[in-house]
Amino acid sequence: MRIIVILIPFSKQAYASELFREEHQARGLSTVSAAWGVGLIVGPAIGGYLAQPVEKYPQIFPKDSFWDKFPYFLPCFIISVLAFTVVIACIWIPETLHNHNGSEESKGDAEALENGSSKERTVQKNENLFMNWPLMSSIIAYSVFSLHDIAYHEVFSLWATSPLRLGGLNFTTDDVGDVLIISGVALCIYQFFIYPSVEKACGPIGFARITAIFSMPLLQSYPFIAMLSGITLYIVISIASILKNIMSETIQTGLFLIQNRVVEQHQRGAANGIAMTSMSLFKAIGPAAGGTILTWSQKRMDASFLPGTQMVFFFLNLVEGLGILLMFKPFLGEKKKTNSDELQ
C-alpha cells in the first residue's frame, strides 16, 4: 500500500514541472510538496480521530456492533473513499505531453528553435540519466531524507502516545491528531505564501541546507519537551511539530526542484521514475526501523549514554546528518549548462 501511495507525488511532481516555467517551478513544486506533506500529517490525524469509534463516539456507534468488532474499519473506509474519488477525478486531468499532427520537418524545426539546435536535441534524447551525476546525487540525498522523514512520522505518533514512564507524552490519539492538524495548516500557509519568496532569495539547496542543520537540535530536544506538562507541553510540542514539518518539506521541495532542473523537460518523467524507485526502497524500511529503535530505546531508560528516547532521536539525527553531508560538494553535482540554457 505504501508503494502505491508513493507513486502519486512523483507523477504530480513531473506534471507540475511540465506545467510551470522554471521561474515559477518553486511555487508549483512547493504546492505539490505541501499537498504530500499535509497528507502525511493529516492522514494519521484522521486515523486518530476515527479509530475505535465505539469508545470515542458511543452515542453514534453502539457497543457490540460491527464498529466494535472492527474498530479500525471506519478510518480505512473513509480514506479509501477519498482515494477512490481522487482516482476518478484524475480521468479529467489533461495530458501535458502534446502530440502534433504536423510534418516531421516542422516538428524538427520547432524542436530546434526550442533547444538551440536540432543536433543538441538529438544528443539530449540519447542522454543516459544514470550517467547524469547531478540528477543521481540529488536522488540519493532525497532518498536519505525520505528515510529520515518516514521514520520520524512513525516515531512521533508512537512516542507521543507512549506513557510518561517510557519517556513519552502520554497523549491520546485525539491529542496527536490535534497536533498534526495544526502542523498541517501551518505547513500549507508556509508552502503557499512563504517558501517561493525565500527560495528565490536563498536558492533551493542553500535554503535546504540551513533548515536541515537547524532541524537537528530541534529534533534532539524532543525528549526534554516530554518533561513538560499541561498546556505548556501542548503548546511547545505543537510549535516543535510545526517547525520540524516545515523544515522537512523545505528540504524535500528543494531537492524536487534540483531533480527537475538538471534534466531536460522530455526526460523529467523518466527522472522522477528513477527517484520514485529509490525513494520507495528507503521508505519501505523507515517505519520498521523507526519503530524497532523506539522500542529498544524505551527498554534502556536508565542507561548512562543517551538514556530512553534520547537514543531514537539521536539515530534520526544521524540519518539527517548524512543527508546534510550529501547536499554539499563534491557529492551534490551541478547542472552543466547547455546552449539552450545560455540562450535563455
Side-chain angles (χ1 to χ4, degrees), residues 237-313:
I237 195 62
S238 296
I239 294 173
S241 178
I242 289 171
L243 292 175
K244 174 58 183 169
N245 285 290
I246 283 176
M247 290 174 176
S248 295
E249 292 307 313
T250 297
I251 297 166
Q252 295 198 22
T253 304
L255 291 170
F256 274 175
L257 287 167
I258 293 300
Q259 288 170 23
N260 284 279
R261 288 176 180 176
V262 297
V263 295
E264 298 298 330
Q265 183 172 354
H266 68 283
Q267 290 188 308
R268 285 174 183 164
N272 284 302
I274 297 172
M276 178 198 67
T277 302
S278 176
M279 186 195 71
S280 300
L281 295 174
F282 279 77
K283 281 199 169 185
I285 64 175
T292 300
I293 296 174
L294 176 63
T295 302
W296 170 66
S297 67
Q298 290 177 334
K299 293 179 180 179
R300 52 188 305 281
M301 298 300 296
D302 299 322
S304 57
F305 177 71
L306 296 174
T309 55
Q310 292 184 37
M311 180 60 75
V312 68
F313 291 109

Side-chain angles (χ1 to χ4, degrees), residues 28-50:
L29 290 178
S30 68
T31 303
V32 174
S33 182
W36 177 242
V38 169
L40 286 177
I41 295 169
V42 175
I46 293 175
Y49 288 133
L50 300 182

Side-chain angles (χ1 to χ4, degrees), residues 10 80 93 106 116 183 196 207 212 219 274 281 286 309 315 342:
F10 277 91
S80 297
I93 295 179
S106 63
S183 299
F207 191 31
L219 189 59
I274 297 172
L281 295 174
T309 55
F315 270 99
E342 294 172 353

